[in-house]
Amino acid sequence: MDPDLVAPVVPWDLVLSEDELVSLASLCDVIIPADQHSPAASALGAHDFINEWVSAPYEGNERDLTLVRGGLAWLNTESHRRFDAPFALLGAGQKAELCDEICYAPRAAPGLEAQARFFDKVRDLTSTAFWTTEEGMADLGFVGNRPMATFEGPPPEVLQRLGLT
Amino acid sequence: MMPWQDDPDVIVVGSGAGGGMAAYVLACSGVKVLLLEAGRDYDPVTETPMFQLPKDAPLRAAGTSDKPFGFYDATVDGGWSVPGEPYTSAEGTNFMWWRSRMLGGRTNHWGRISLRMGEYDFKPYSRDGLGFDWPMTYDDLAPWYDKTEMLVGVYGTNEGLENTPDSGPEVLQPPPAPRAYELLTKKTCDGLDIPVIPAHLAILTERQAAERLSNRLWPDNGLARRVTRESMASRAACFWATPCGRGCSIKANFQSPTVCLPPALATGNLRIVTNAMVREVTVDAGGRANGVHYIDRETRTDRFASAGVVVLAASACESARILLNSRSSSFPDGLGNGSGLVGRYLMDTVGAGVSGQIPALENLPRHPEEGASAMHLYMPWWLYGEQARGALDFARGYHVEFGGGQRMPGYGAFSGLEPLTEGAYGQRFKEECRRYYGSFMYFDGRGEMIPNDDSYCEIDPDVVDQWGIPVLKFHWEWSDHELNQAVHMQETFAEIIDAMGGQVLSTVQTDGARAIAAPGQIIHEVGCTRMGDSASNSVLNQYCQSWEVPNLFVMDGGPFVSNADKNPTLSIMAIAWRSSEYLVEQLATGGLS
């Protein structure tokens, strides 16, 4: 593979449907909501990144496509069954009721293992998508990726905090 | 530029650490060199994605089977697999062979870790009865280590530690200031009696003293002095940002295409042909090498280049492959393979790692931690005494590479928080990410593998690549020395993380086979054309010259007799420089004809 590293492009087609993306964007925002420091995940395109991820022509990504599609389908089926509405249109409390059941694999009920894996996969991909943007990096306070004349090492307050003074 | 059209004096096959250095030394010495590179032309100055963000790349620049080290890694058409260029493995062998198809080869993405082999490392058999001794001593090579470090630019310090050689005066660049997590690790390791000292990396921390260094390198050669001075003067110092694995457009780190090849070209004595996949070295009726056959990858046609001397520097395994595929009535088992040792005693580095989360590093005030990209401090092997007392269940040592810090978030930067946060999502998850940022660390051991009879490569008679060239088949076995060492690494790193008040995040294995990285995975494969003191026990003499074909040399990782825990690139370059000077002397005295 010899892609142009200076001007990258995504060479594959994106496969998730509009409806799937609506559900996914909603879930991304449950995982990383807006607060006073930075926007919600979907505002930074997390769902679009996940679409790029699950559409990629690699073995692991193809597995993730099935996992994510199946998880979104379950989420909407369950939303309709319990609340008679698609996931994206549920209230915050209703969304939390569903997500609480699958957000932590060791506490997921029997039969929901795959849904817990789905949730963790979307959580990982959402966090990657969110924190790798300029807004996400600014939220973290990342200082770097710009030339500096000198490298001084940690500032005194850091040394003090670590007991290194 | 086509400086000359007649036959070259020397053909060099491969443009990486060994070939780049050979081309530089030979061209500087007035020898006409034709350099054949299997990959495409590559210019780090224009092609390096210096400040591109993860989000600018597909998959946030995550590693894929196409680009195992991530989208921005300076590897062209390569990785563990090269399209159309397979290799095979014996049953039960999981050897991984990293190649890249670009000018400069793997020097474009390498870790820049530049550790000298020490006096013990050249005579391992004499010390513990295992493996083999080199036909040279540390003192034999030391002057060329100095030269290589001066040309390349290596930062570090002289600590006077056992088997961890000092460089000559005014050779090293000053080391960068340690980062916060490195200082915290040092403080912890001081209490565990593990030395933590400045690493040696091929990165300029200040502009090279071009005048002084070029005078010192080439006191009696005005042309070499000029081209070296001009090349050094064109390199900038590190500006403390961007990952070295992408390459460096300001030439602050070492890559063959920014450091070795430009001055060599400037002499007018070097011609480079890229997309030239060498398949065979040919011999004349007298059994002397007289040229090479290569496939022009663009036209898929066979070409021939003739020269009075052939230097293979295609990588340890690829050079062995070329020799084994160079069969003739004079050399039915492959060229220069009268000893039967071509392909034998293939080694990689023992690798094992542990990652951890360090609460003391949580919520630290934000500050720049990219520094020189890779490590500023490392731990050289320290348990010589314990080993001598028989207190360890393995021979030979390892060094420790460790990292962490407030780096640019990339793919997976906050993956795996489920167990640490009991499945947090929502506002709490967002806050947990902020808290954990910069608090993760990893420790990787890089240790010595002892050569053995069962680790080797040979030609697979049943498989050819897309160029019609028979491919390599790999065989591999670890001994208990490597497996036990890998366990010792993981236990030691868990102890360090624990002493830092941290939490070990990966599984610490007590079974060496589970702890150790796959063979080839550390990408330090050496051996296959080892040097020695006689034609019966080695392929080459100490100057990388074939015993049987005096105008044939191998100047890559192939000549290695052992694989100390010192990453091989610096030694490949120093040995290539020393051997190239020998080659020049032999040319001058007619010793090769």
Side-chain angles (χ1 to χ4, degrees), chain A residues 29-52:
Chain A
D29 289 349
V30 170
I31 290 169
I32 299 187
D35 64 8
Q36 70 269 34
H37 300 293
S38 56
S42 73
L44 300 181
H47 53 303
D48 293 325
F49 165 68
I50 296 175
N51 192 11
E52 177 186 316

PDB file of all heavy atoms in Angstrom, chain A residues 29-52:
ATOM      1  N   ASP A  29     -23.855  10.387  21.437  1.00  0.00           N
ATOM      2  CA  ASP A  29     -24.070  11.529  22.337  1.00  0.00           C
ATOM      3  C   ASP A  29     -24.446  11.090  23.746  1.00  0.00           C
ATOM      4  O   ASP A  29     -24.230  11.834  24.700  1.00  0.00           O
ATOM      5  CB  ASP A  29     -25.140  12.451  21.760  1.00  0.00           C
ATOM      6  CG  ASP A  29     -24.635  13.194  20.532  1.00  0.00           C
ATOM      7  OD1 ASP A  29     -23.406  13.137  20.282  1.00  0.00           O
ATOM      8  OD2 ASP A  29     -25.439  13.817  19.827  1.00  0.00           O
ATOM      9  N   VAL A  30     -25.021   9.897  23.867  1.00  0.00           N
ATOM     10  CA  VAL A  30     -25.231   9.337  25.213  1.00  0.00           C
ATOM     11  C   VAL A  30     -23.867   9.039  25.833  1.00  0.00           C
ATOM     12  O   VAL A  30     -23.652   9.258  27.028  1.00  0.00           O
ATOM     13  CB  VAL A  30     -26.099   8.059  25.134  1.00  0.00           C
ATOM     14  CG1 VAL A  30     -26.120   7.347  26.491  1.00  0.00           C
ATOM     15  CG2 VAL A  30     -27.510   8.410  24.697  1.00  0.00           C
ATOM     16  N   ILE A  31     -22.933   8.564  25.017  1.00  0.00           N
ATOM     17  CA  ILE A  31     -21.605   8.178  25.519  1.00  0.00           C
ATOM     18  C   ILE A  31     -20.758   9.414  25.833  1.00  0.00           C
ATOM     19  O   ILE A  31     -20.107   9.487  26.874  1.00  0.00           O
ATOM     20  CB  ILE A  31     -20.903   7.246  24.500  1.00  0.00           C
ATOM     21  CG1 ILE A  31     -21.628   5.893  24.483  1.00  0.00           C
ATOM     22  CG2 ILE A  31     -19.435   7.072  24.830  1.00  0.00           C
ATOM     23  CD1 ILE A  31     -21.221   4.974  23.343  1.00  0.00           C
ATOM     24  N   ILE A  32     -20.735  10.369  24.927  1.00  0.00           N
ATOM     25  CA  ILE A  32     -20.014  11.624  25.188  1.00  0.00           C
ATOM     26  C   ILE A  32     -20.957  12.796  24.907  1.00  0.00           C
ATOM     27  O   ILE A  32     -21.092  13.251  23.764  1.00  0.00           O
ATOM     28  CB  ILE A  32     -18.725  11.753  24.342  1.00  0.00           C
ATOM     29  CG1 ILE A  32     -17.755  10.619  24.668  1.00  0.00           C
ATOM     30  CG2 ILE A  32     -18.049  13.111  24.609  1.00  0.00           C
ATOM     31  CD1 ILE A  32     -16.388  10.737  24.004  1.00  0.00           C
ATOM     32  N   PRO A  33     -21.639  13.290  25.949  1.00  0.00           N
ATOM     33  CA  PRO A  33     -22.549  14.423  25.772  1.00  0.00           C
ATOM     34  C   PRO A  33     -21.796  15.755  25.776  1.00  0.00           C
ATOM     35  O   PRO A  33     -20.607  15.810  26.131  1.00  0.00           O
ATOM     36  CB  PRO A  33     -23.452  14.328  27.002  1.00  0.00           C
ATOM     37  CG  PRO A  33     -22.582  13.685  28.054  1.00  0.00           C
ATOM     38  CD  PRO A  33     -21.627  12.780  27.328  1.00  0.00           C
ATOM     39  N   ALA A  34     -22.491  16.793  25.371  1.00  0.00           N
ATOM     40  CA  ALA A  34     -21.899  18.134  25.450  1.00  0.00           C
ATOM     41  C   ALA A  34     -21.798  18.561  26.908  1.00  0.00           C
ATOM     42  O   ALA A  34     -22.604  18.158  27.745  1.00  0.00           O
ATOM     43  CB  ALA A  34     -22.759  19.119  24.673  1.00  0.00           C
ATOM     44  N   ASP A  35     -20.793  19.344  27.234  1.00  0.00           N
ATOM     45  CA  ASP A  35     -20.756  20.016  28.534  1.00  0.00           C
ATOM     46  C   ASP A  35     -20.143  21.395  28.317  1.00  0.00           C
ATOM     47  O   ASP A  35     -19.996  21.832  27.170  1.00  0.00           O
ATOM     48  CB  ASP A  35     -20.014  19.186  29.590  1.00  0.00           C
ATOM     49  CG  ASP A  35     -18.540  18.976  29.258  1.00  0.00           C
ATOM     50  OD1 ASP A  35     -18.038  19.590  28.280  1.00  0.00           O
ATOM     51  OD2 ASP A  35     -17.872  18.197  29.964  1.00  0.00           O
ATOM     52  N   GLN A  36     -19.791  22.077  29.406  1.00  0.00           N
ATOM     53  CA  GLN A  36     -19.340  23.457  29.232  1.00  0.00           C
ATOM     54  C   GLN A  36     -17.983  23.549  28.533  1.00  0.00           C
ATOM     55  O   GLN A  36     -17.589  24.611  28.083  1.00  0.00           O
ATOM     56  CB  GLN A  36     -19.299  24.197  30.582  1.00  0.00           C
ATOM     57  CG  GLN A  36     -18.222  23.764  31.555  1.00  0.00           C
ATOM     58  CD  GLN A  36     -18.691  22.657  32.489  1.00  0.00           C
ATOM     59  OE1 GLN A  36     -19.484  21.786  32.114  1.00  0.00           O
ATOM     60  NE2 GLN A  36     -18.217  22.678  33.728  1.00  0.00           N
ATOM     61  N   HIS A  37     -17.255  22.423  28.429  1.00  0.00           N
ATOM     62  CA  HIS A  37     -15.914  22.468  27.833  1.00  0.00           C
ATOM     63  C   HIS A  37     -15.888  22.126  26.344  1.00  0.00           C
ATOM     64  O   HIS A  37     -15.019  22.598  25.619  1.00  0.00           O
ATOM     65  CB  HIS A  37     -14.987  21.491  28.554  1.00  0.00           C
ATOM     66  CG  HIS A  37     -14.836  21.779  30.007  1.00  0.00           C
ATOM     67  ND1 HIS A  37     -14.210  22.912  30.476  1.00  0.00           N
ATOM     68  CD2 HIS A  37     -15.266  21.098  31.094  1.00  0.00           C
ATOM     69  CE1 HIS A  37     -14.236  22.900  31.799  1.00  0.00           C
ATOM     70  NE2 HIS A  37     -14.880  21.820  32.203  1.00  0.00           N
ATOM     71  N   SER A  38     -16.821  21.265  25.913  1.00  0.00           N
ATOM     72  CA  SER A  38     -16.740  20.801  24.521  1.00  0.00           C
ATOM     73  C   SER A  38     -18.090  20.250  24.086  1.00  0.00           C
ATOM     74  O   SER A  38     -18.921  19.885  24.916  1.00  0.00           O
ATOM     75  CB  SER A  38     -15.651  19.726  24.385  1.00  0.00           C
ATOM     76  OG  SER A  38     -15.892  18.659  25.281  1.00  0.00           O
ATOM     77  N   PRO A  39     -18.276  20.146  22.760  1.00  0.00           N
ATOM     78  CA  PRO A  39     -19.564  19.677  22.248  1.00  0.00           C
ATOM     79  C   PRO A  39     -19.773  18.173  22.462  1.00  0.00           C
ATOM     80  O   PRO A  39     -18.895  17.477  22.965  1.00  0.00           O
ATOM     81  CB  PRO A  39     -19.489  20.010  20.754  1.00  0.00           C
ATOM     82  CG  PRO A  39     -18.067  20.243  20.447  1.00  0.00           C
ATOM     83  CD  PRO A  39     -17.346  20.560  21.709  1.00  0.00           C
ATOM     84  N   ALA A  40     -20.934  17.710  22.045  1.00  0.00           N
ATOM     85  CA  ALA A  40     -21.221  16.272  22.095  1.00  0.00           C
ATOM     86  C   ALA A  40     -20.516  15.563  20.945  1.00  0.00           C
ATOM     87  O   ALA A  40     -20.084  16.182  19.969  1.00  0.00           O
ATOM     88  CB  ALA A  40     -22.726  16.048  22.011  1.00  0.00           C
ATOM     89  N   ALA A  41     -20.423  14.239  21.072  1.00  0.00           N
ATOM     90  CA  ALA A  41     -19.637  13.454  20.114  1.00  0.00           C
ATOM     91  C   ALA A  41     -20.148  13.601  18.682  1.00  0.00           C
ATOM     92  O   ALA A  41     -19.350  13.729  17.749  1.00  0.00           O
ATOM     93  CB  ALA A  41     -19.631  11.989  20.528  1.00  0.00           C
ATOM     94  N   SER A  42     -21.468  13.602  18.495  1.00  0.00           N
ATOM     95  CA  SER A  42     -21.974  13.641  17.118  1.00  0.00           C
ATOM     96  C   SER A  42     -21.685  14.989  16.465  1.00  0.00           C
ATOM     97  O   SER A  42     -21.532  15.074  15.248  1.00  0.00           O
ATOM     98  CB  SER A  42     -23.474  13.342  17.076  1.00  0.00           C
ATOM     99  OG  SER A  42     -24.209  14.440  17.568  1.00  0.00           O
ATOM    100  N   ALA A  43     -21.583  16.037  17.281  1.00  0.00           N
ATOM    101  CA  ALA A  43     -21.279  17.355  16.716  1.00  0.00           C
ATOM    102  C   ALA A  43     -19.874  17.367  16.110  1.00  0.00           C
ATOM    103  O   ALA A  43     -19.553  18.205  15.259  1.00  0.00           O
ATOM    104  CB  ALA A  43     -21.411  18.428  17.788  1.00  0.00           C
ATOM    105  N   LEU A  44     -19.038  16.428  16.562  1.00  0.00           N
ATOM    106  CA  LEU A  44     -17.678  16.316  16.004  1.00  0.00           C
ATOM    107  C   LEU A  44     -17.585  15.133  15.038  1.00  0.00           C
ATOM    108  O   LEU A  44     -16.489  14.701  14.678  1.00  0.00           O
ATOM    109  CB  LEU A  44     -16.657  16.174  17.128  1.00  0.00           C
ATOM    110  CG  LEU A  44     -16.622  17.356  18.115  1.00  0.00           C
ATOM    111  CD1 LEU A  44     -15.549  17.129  19.184  1.00  0.00           C
ATOM    112  CD2 LEU A  44     -16.368  18.672  17.395  1.00  0.00           C
ATOM    113  N   GLY A  45     -18.727  14.609  14.647  1.00  0.00           N
ATOM    114  CA  GLY A  45     -18.724  13.584  13.585  1.00  0.00           C
ATOM    115  C   GLY A  45     -18.369  12.184  14.045  1.00  0.00           C
ATOM    116  O   GLY A  45     -17.914  11.369  13.231  1.00  0.00           O
ATOM    117  N   ALA A  46     -18.605  11.867  15.317  1.00  0.00           N
ATOM    118  CA  ALA A  46     -18.228  10.528  15.815  1.00  0.00           C
ATOM    119  C   ALA A  46     -18.950   9.429  15.039  1.00  0.00           C
ATOM    120  O   ALA A  46     -18.350   8.400  14.706  1.00  0.00           O
ATOM    121  CB  ALA A  46     -18.525  10.418  17.305  1.00  0.00           C
ATOM    122  N   HIS A  47     -20.240   9.641  14.751  1.00  0.00           N
ATOM    123  CA  HIS A  47     -20.991   8.599  14.037  1.00  0.00           C
ATOM    124  C   HIS A  47     -20.450   8.416  12.615  1.00  0.00           C
ATOM    125  O   HIS A  47     -20.428   7.297  12.096  1.00  0.00           O
ATOM    126  CB  HIS A  47     -22.488   8.927  14.021  1.00  0.00           C
ATOM    127  CG  HIS A  47     -22.810  10.300  13.504  1.00  0.00           C
ATOM    128  ND1 HIS A  47     -22.284  11.448  14.073  1.00  0.00           N
ATOM    129  CD2 HIS A  47     -23.565  10.711  12.451  1.00  0.00           C
ATOM    130  CE1 HIS A  47     -22.722  12.503  13.404  1.00  0.00           C
ATOM    131  NE2 HIS A  47     -23.498  12.084  12.422  1.00  0.00           N
ATOM    132  N   ASP A  48     -20.009   9.500  12.011  1.00  0.00           N
ATOM    133  CA  ASP A  48     -19.428   9.375  10.666  1.00  0.00           C
ATOM    134  C   ASP A  48     -18.112   8.598  10.712  1.00  0.00           C
ATOM    135  O   ASP A  48     -17.800   7.801   9.825  1.00  0.00           O
ATOM    136  CB  ASP A  48     -19.197  10.757  10.048  1.00  0.00           C
ATOM    137  CG  ASP A  48     -20.510  11.474   9.758  1.00  0.00           C
ATOM    138  OD1 ASP A  48     -21.486  10.789   9.392  1.00  0.00           O
ATOM    139  OD2 ASP A  48     -20.570  12.710   9.928  1.00  0.00           O
ATOM    140  N   PHE A  49     -17.326   8.839  11.773  1.00  0.00           N
ATOM    141  CA  PHE A  49     -16.085   8.061  11.914  1.00  0.00           C
ATOM    142  C   PHE A  49     -16.406   6.582  12.091  1.00  0.00           C
ATOM    143  O   PHE A  49     -15.754   5.713  11.495  1.00  0.00           O
ATOM    144  CB  PHE A  49     -15.247   8.559  13.090  1.00  0.00           C
ATOM    145  CG  PHE A  49     -14.174   7.571  13.469  1.00  0.00           C
ATOM    146  CD1 PHE A  49     -13.117   7.319  12.614  1.00  0.00           C
ATOM    147  CD2 PHE A  49     -14.248   6.846  14.658  1.00  0.00           C
ATOM    148  CE1 PHE A  49     -12.141   6.385  12.932  1.00  0.00           C
ATOM    149  CE2 PHE A  49     -13.282   5.907  14.982  1.00  0.00           C
ATOM    150  CZ  PHE A  49     -12.232   5.676  14.113  1.00  0.00           C
ATOM    151  N   ILE A  50     -17.411   6.279  12.894  1.00  0.00           N
ATOM    152  CA  ILE A  50     -17.752   4.865  13.116  1.00  0.00           C
ATOM    153  C   ILE A  50     -18.235   4.231  11.813  1.00  0.00           C
ATOM    154  O   ILE A  50     -17.908   3.078  11.506  1.00  0.00           O
ATOM    155  CB  ILE A  50     -18.782   4.733  14.256  1.00  0.00           C
ATOM    156  CG1 ILE A  50     -18.143   5.224  15.569  1.00  0.00           C
ATOM    157  CG2 ILE A  50     -19.261   3.284  14.393  1.00  0.00           C
ATOM    158  CD1 ILE A  50     -19.098   5.268  16.754  1.00  0.00           C
ATOM    159  N   ASN A  51     -18.961   4.990  11.006  1.00  0.00           N
ATOM    160  CA  ASN A  51     -19.360   4.495   9.688  1.00  0.00           C
ATOM    161  C   ASN A  51     -18.122   4.184   8.837  1.00  0.00           C
ATOM    162  O   ASN A  51     -18.017   3.128   8.211  1.00  0.00           O
ATOM    163  CB  ASN A  51     -20.241   5.548   9.002  1.00  0.00           C
ATOM    164  CG  ASN A  51     -20.937   5.001   7.751  1.00  0.00           C
ATOM    165  OD1 ASN A  51     -20.934   3.797   7.507  1.00  0.00           O
ATOM    166  ND2 ASN A  51     -21.537   5.899   6.980  1.00  0.00           N
ATOM    167  N   GLU A  52     -17.151   5.089   8.863  1.00  0.00           N
ATOM    168  CA  GLU A  52     -15.894   4.856   8.135  1.00  0.00           C
ATOM    169  C   GLU A  52     -15.215   3.584   8.660  1.00  0.00           C
ATOM    170  O   GLU A  52     -14.701   2.769   7.889  1.00  0.00           O
ATOM    171  CB  GLU A  52     -14.984   6.077   8.332  1.00  0.00           C
ATOM    172  CG  GLU A  52     -13.611   5.964   7.705  1.00  0.00           C
ATOM    173  CD  GLU A  52     -12.745   7.167   8.103  1.00  0.00           C
ATOM    174  OE1 GLU A  52     -13.261   8.304   8.076  1.00  0.00           O
ATOM    175  OE2 GLU A  52     -11.566   6.957   8.442  1.00  0.00           O
TER     176      GLU A  52
END
